[in-house]
Amino acid sequence: MKNFFSQYSYSMIKMFVNQIAISIFGFVLAMAAIAADKLILTVILGVFSVLFYLFLIYTTTWEIGAKDRIAVDVGKKPYRPHTGLLLSLIANIPNFIIAFLYAIAYPFMAEHRWAGNLNAALNLISAIMEGMYRGLISIITVPPSGDALYKFWWTYFLIIIPALITAWVAYFTGFKNFRMFAQYFNKKSNQDLKK
């Protein structure tokens, strides 16, 4: 495990820094759309923020998989298909901590002041660290209460899942040198196809 951290520490930090940057960006967009009271705009900006965040994870992890393929081919390291998932799990440790703290505070919020204070602090922290989801979880409601998703503790576990899946898939596709969007970005191959 020590070897894993020494090999991938830069990548994990990069994933975390990308998350903070897109989170602040997504939170600002969400708050602007919510303040304008435009539901469609909030949905569009919320989806854009999440997709952009997942795209950053995808490109970062794809590059790691592509580099690892070279090392595996020359025998420097063994093939570990779960590397992308493990990288994302480690990079998401702060998100897991937020989710666990929400789960601890949620049952006691009505009766205990500490739980309410913890919930308020977590709301602020999650807005900074998970702001790309804020637009969507603020407007999607859960029947029968009609409360927004951000009020439920389990939401903070759910929003981690897309990042984990994206990193897992991206590492695999990078390792196999499969480019999902190459046909759209590679002009030379598009021109060759037309000939």
Side-chain angles (χ1 to χ4, degrees):
M1 197 62 164
K2 183 181 179 184
N3 190 31
F4 183 87
F5 278 102
S6 66
Q7 283 181 354
Y8 299 109
S9 60
Y10 173 77
S11 300
M12 288 182 281
I13 291 168
K14 184 178 177 183
M15 290 171 86
F16 182 71
V17 170
N18 283 345
Q19 177 185 337
I20 297 296
I22 193 63
S23 174
I24 294 168
F25 174 70
F27 181 73
V28 169
L29 287 179
M31 291 304 101
I34 290 169
D37 201 24
K38 304 285 184 187
L39 181 63
I40 306 251
L41 182 64
T42 306
V43 171
I44 291 169
L45 292 176
V47 169
F48 171 77
S49 296
V50 172
L51 290 178
F52 188 57
Y53 167 59
L54 296 177
F55 177 76
L56 288 176
I57 290 172
Y58 183 88
T59 55
T60 302
T61 316
W62 192 96
E63 289 174 8
I64 296 166
K67 287 177 186 173
D68 280 1
R69 174 61 183 260
I70 297 166
V72 169
D73 285 348
V74 297
K76 284 189 175 179
K77 62 168 68 168
Y79 173 49
R80 294 186 180 106
H82 60 277
T83 300
L85 178 62
L86 191 54
L87 284 170
S88 189
L89 281 169
I90 294 169
N92 277 290
I93 286 174
N95 297 328
F96 280 111
I97 292 170
I98 290 169
F100 280 117
L101 290 174
Y102 265 118
I104 290 168
Y106 189 78
F108 304 106
M109 281 186 357
E111 300 152 6
H112 298 283
R113 183 182 218 174
W114 67 266
N117 291 340
L118 179 58
N119 187 62
L122 289 171
N123 252 335
L124 177 63
I125 294 167
S126 69
I128 294 167
M129 295 190 57
E130 301 163 341
M132 67 292 280
Y133 292 100
R134 186 54 67 154
L136 293 177
I137 65 175
S138 295
I139 59 169
I140 298 173
T141 57
V142 178
S145 67
D147 288 337
L149 268 179
Y150 77 89
K151 294 185 178 181
F152 297 95
W153 63 270
W154 44 264
T155 300
Y156 299 92
F157 285 100
L158 288 179
I159 62 177
I160 298 171
I161 295 172
L164 299 178
I165 293 171
T166 301
W168 199 356
V169 170
Y171 183 83
F172 179 77
T173 57
F175 190 85
K176 298 294 183 185
N177 199 24
F178 174 74
R179 298 175 189 264
M180 289 185 169
F181 306 107
Q183 60 184 349
Y184 302 111
F185 296 111
N186 191 345
K187 293 180 182 176
K188 186 177 178 184
S189 20
N190 285 342
Q191 289 169 356
D192 291 342
L193 288 172
K194 289 176 184 176
K195 288 180 181 178

